[in-house]
Amino acid sequence: DLYQKTLSCQNYWPLIQCPVMFLGATNDFNSPMEFVTRGFHLLPDVSKSRMSFTVHMNHRFTADNYAARVRWFDAHLKKAFVFPKTATARLELKTANGIPRLIVRPDNSTPHRIEKVDIFYGFDRDPRARFWRTAVTGKKGDNYVAHLPVMDLGEPLFAFANVTYHTGEPLALPVGYHDSPLLTITSECRKAYPHQLKQAGVKEVGERKRLIDDFTAGWQDWSLVAADNKHHWNFETHKVNDPAHFGPKHAALELELETTIAGNTLAVVLYQDQWRGYTGRKPRRFCALVPLKEAGQQTVRISMDQFRSEDGETLQTYDYLTSLILTPGNKEKPKEVTENWQGDIPIFKRISWVGGEFAERKIPYLQDGVAEIDADEAFRQQFEDGVKESVEREEQDRGE
């Protein structure tokens, strides 16, 4: 009761008078995105504050988002920078083709040129496990517009945009970041619940896909950590949790990649039920070690039974996957793989599901045997593990 009256945000946020900049990531374990946006609406004057979310990441951000922290102080303490206003965002559910669309209007009044506007949308009810699709965005006058196809009317729709400005000069950033002239600000965030989608006549559009990524759009669907570090690189995507991309029953995972030196070992990790302690299922990492005996372009196929947990269990279903991770074998299994990755970071060209059959998956957020675990203890352990991993990744970024 004392906590609710003092430290709980719904009581102190309405008292905040200073401008607030929230810098974070869309899949942050510590500050889930919907909690942040809900808190912002408690501020006395939300128009004075801003948000800057790095898409796909967890408790980390890219240089263009980090710049928001620095520029915020430049604007409010030094009076030496014109900070853009939050872009407005309007979610239209009733459309001629039954596909929702997001209409975004960024601030054009600043001296900074708009470099790009990216519109994202997703469906998972837990923002920590949600995959954010990148929408095809077009410009109409001062607005940016994107259609947001919905595959399942039983799930909510979430959408927002990131507006990136070119400030004209590179900003010096800390170790671990490249100096950048870019500044990214997040728009208003919008959502629609299943009953709203149905009432508006939204149509289900889309189909299951075997292709996870062919990298024609680069790494836009991934979170890259230590991307320039040949020994510590870690690439993760929540795409395997998207309704179009989760694995067919009994399928194998196939990767096409190119390496420069023979003899490396790749770790492919499938994370199951990360942050979903509320379901009664414990989060588990299933890892497959892939020896790459040759150098050059190659194709590897990993069957489901090659993915094993720390307890030696084999992966039984793709239904509860929350992310796919690619990293050097010794980073994931140092006892089994003792050598650092040698040569350049591999070039990944295609990742897809092979074989198996498409089938409905179990709803991942539904509770399952909750009485078997202490949900509060599960949350505390996940929080502590998240902090530890974040600190380790920051040390690797700095080359420590």
Side-chain angles (χ1 to χ4, degrees):
D1 184 57
L2 179 62
Y3 175 88
Q4 292 295 331
K5 292 179 179 179
T6 56
L7 298 179
S8 185
C9 67
Q10 64 261 33
N11 282 298
Y12 74 77
W13 276 64
L15 305 177
I16 296 175
Q17 298 297 322
C18 67
V20 176
M21 160 57 68
F22 185 88
L23 176 63
T26 58
N27 297 78
D28 200 308
F29 75 96
N30 188 30
S31 51
M33 193 170 180
E34 270 76 68
F35 288 11
V36 175
T37 56
R38 193 184 309 167
F40 256 64
H41 286 97
L42 297 174
L43 292 169
D45 186 357
V46 71
S47 67
K48 295 179 180 179
S49 298
R50 306 286 188 275
M51 297 183 295
S52 184
F53 285 99
T54 296
V55 73
H56 305 310
M57 282 196 163
N58 170 22
H59 211 59
R60 309 176 69 79
F61 23 81
T62 50
D64 52 311
N65 294 92
Y66 189 101
R69 169 188 286 173
V70 181
R71 295 302 191 185
W72 192 247
F73 286 107
D74 288 344
H76 291 280
L77 299 184
K78 296 181 179 180
K79 306 297 182 182
F81 187 80
V82 179
F83 207 96
K85 298 176 183 177
T86 299
T88 62
R90 185 171 80 252
L91 179 60
E92 292 188 347
L93 299 181
K94 291 185 178 182
T95 62
N97 60 3
I99 301 176
R101 63 180 182 177
L102 191 71
I103 302 173
V104 177
R105 175 166 289 198
D107 180 12
N108 284 300
S109 66
T110 74
H112 320 304
R113 171 174 55 85
I114 294 177
E115 183 79 5
K116 61 176 180 173
V117 175
D118 294 315
I119 293 178
F120 304 99
Y121 67 108
F123 311 103
D124 196 286
R125 300 182 183 216
D126 191 330
R128 297 168 297 181
R130 183 181 303 146
F131 173 67
W132 289 99
R133 296 182 178 185
T134 301
V136 177
T137 302
K139 191 172 186 294
K140 292 186 178 180
D142 291 332
N143 294 332
Y144 292 80
V145 183
H147 289 91
L148 317 176
V150 174
M151 285 189 65
D152 185 354
L153 294 180
E155 299 301 330
L157 170 65
F158 304 88
F160 74 96
N162 269 348
V163 181
T164 301
Y165 293 88
H166 194 293
T167 64
E169 57 180 338
L171 179 67
L173 295 174
V175 175
Y177 296 94
H178 296 293
D179 294 353
S180 174
L182 303 180
L183 166 67
T184 293
I185 306 298
T186 296
S187 75
E188 297 174 333
C189 299
R190 299 300 179 210
K191 61 185 175 183
Y193 295 105
H195 73 276
Q196 295 172 312
L197 298 174
K198 294 173 183 176
Q199 289 174 0
V202 172
K203 297 179 181 179
E204 291 186 343
V205 178
E207 58 184 13
R208 297 279 299 280
K209 299 179 181 179
R210 292 187 178 276
L211 178 66
I212 297 174
D213 211 326
D214 60 7
F215 300 98
T216 54
W219 292 97
Q220 76 169 14
D221 294 335
W222 296 70
S223 163
L224 305 184
V225 176
D228 298 327
N229 191 316
K230 294 183 180 182
H231 301 313
H232 296 294
W233 51 272
N234 185 279
F235 306 152
E236 181 174 12
T237 183
H238 294 279
K239 205 168 186 177
V240 291
N241 185 34
D242 184 270
H245 297 284
F246 72 92
K249 189 176 182 180
H250 302 309
L253 186 66
E254 187 173 88
L255 293 85
E256 296 178 15
L257 69 159
E258 185 175 348
T259 59
T260 56
I261 292 182
N264 282 307
T265 300
L266 172 70
V268 181
V269 179
L270 294 177
Y271 216 138
Q272 192 177 71
D273 284 317
Q274 188 179 25
W275 315 120
R276 290 187 186 141
Y278 47 80
T279 65
R281 300 184 301 270
K282 294 182 179 180
R284 291 188 294 176
R285 292 170 72 101
F286 292 87
C287 177
L289 293 176
V290 183
L292 302 172
K293 298 179 181 180
E294 305 294 331
Q297 188 163 326
Q298 52 204 295
T299 300
V300 295
R301 186 173 294 186
I302 312 169
S303 60
M304 182 180 283
D305 60 6
Q306 289 178 261
F307 288 98
R308 295 186 174 274
S309 70
E310 289 291 339
D311 301 327
E313 295 180 273
T314 58
L315 181 65
Q316 300 297 312
T317 178
Y318 296 125
D319 288 351
Y320 303 125
L321 296 188
T322 46
S323 68
L324 163 67
I325 301 170
L326 307 171
T327 197
N330 67 301
K331 298 307 297 179
E332 188 67 27
K333 296 284 186 180
K335 293 181 179 179
E336 299 178 42
V337 182
T338 58
E339 296 293 326
N340 281 337
W341 184 272
Q342 300 298 312
D344 294 339
I345 295 171
I347 299 173
F348 293 93
K349 298 187 175 182
R350 183 181 177 89
I351 303 178
S352 59
W353 301 110
V354 178
E357 59 182 358
F358 289 126
E360 290 188 19
R361 68 169 169 177
K362 296 178 181 178
I363 299 176
Y365 54 79
L366 291 185
Q367 295 182 347
D368 178 22
V370 170
E372 298 177 5
I373 68 166
D374 181 337
D376 289 336
E377 175 59 29
F379 173 82
R380 285 193 293 271
Q381 185 60 52
Q382 289 175 348
F383 181 83
E384 291 172 3
D385 291 345
V387 171
K388 180 181 178 182
E389 180 180 0
S390 180
V391 170
E392 290 175 349
R393 293 296 179 192
E394 288 174 1
E395 291 175 348
Q396 291 169 2
D397 276 357
R398 293 193 296 266
E400 297 177 5

